[in-house]
Amino acid sequence: MFKAFLIVVSTLISVPVIAHNVEISNGVAATFHITPDHNPKLGEKTQAWFALTRRGGQTIPLSECNCTLNVYTVPRAADAQPILQPKLSAINVEKYQEIPGAKIVFPSAGAYELEIAGTAKDSASFSPFELSYTVNVRP
């Protein structure tokens, strides 16, 4: 019995846990992730990605979205300008294909707000959206 318990516990411990944040704006949902495990480090390149979906669960590939990504320091003033505007590229990650992703190097430790916004290239398949996520960058 104890041996079976140890096998179950060791299996659970060895399975990686991947955290994702989900936000919704105007009928568009985004699952957000940033490496490593939502805990980026100052001065190191990190990968952020946004799995966008429209109502009904259909993925929105970057090729169908006029998407932009802005990075702000926190706290953010109402008239603040982004400190970074990383270029989005289509990436494949987990079960998602051709979703918006960006490599980011944060200039200092602290809190940042990542804001992704977009409109449909065909002007009809989904409504304009704006989503934001707070990220804490460690020294």
Side-chain angles (χ1 to χ4, degrees):
M1 175 77 170
F2 184 72
K3 185 176 180 180
F5 174 77
L6 286 178
I7 291 170
V8 170
V9 169
S10 66
T11 301
L12 291 174
I13 291 172
S14 66
V15 174
V17 175
I18 299 175
H20 302 308
N21 295 332
V22 179
E23 296 287 332
I24 300 172
S25 169
N26 219 10
V28 173
T31 301
F32 163 71
H33 184 74
I34 191 165
T35 59
D37 298 322
H38 286 274
N39 197 14
K41 188 173 181 183
L42 160 69
E44 292 184 6
K45 192 179 291 187
T46 186
Q47 176 73 56
W49 56 262
F50 307 85
L52 304 173
T53 55
R54 57 181 62 96
R55 272 197 186 104
Q58 184 182 14
T59 301
I60 301 170
L62 184 59
S63 62
E64 295 178 16
C65 184
N66 294 312
C67 290
T68 59
L69 178 61
N70 292 315
V71 178
Y72 300 90
T73 56
V74 173
R76 175 181 167 187
D79 61 346
Q81 295 297 310
I83 62 158
L84 299 170
Q85 293 179 300
K87 181 180 188 255
L88 291 167
S89 59
I91 65 169
N92 301 328
V93 62
E94 295 182 10
K95 63 181 179 179
Y96 306 109
Q97 302 295 306
E98 305 298 313
I99 61 170
K103 298 208 184 262
I104 303 170
V105 177
F106 293 98
S108 60
Y112 292 87
E113 182 179 346
L114 277 61
E115 179 183 87
I116 186 166
T119 59
K121 286 189 176 177
D122 67 5
S123 302
S125 59
F126 58 90
S127 297
F129 67 91
E130 186 175 290
L131 301 156
S132 64
Y133 302 89
T134 300
V135 175
N136 291 307
V137 176
R138 58 191 167 102

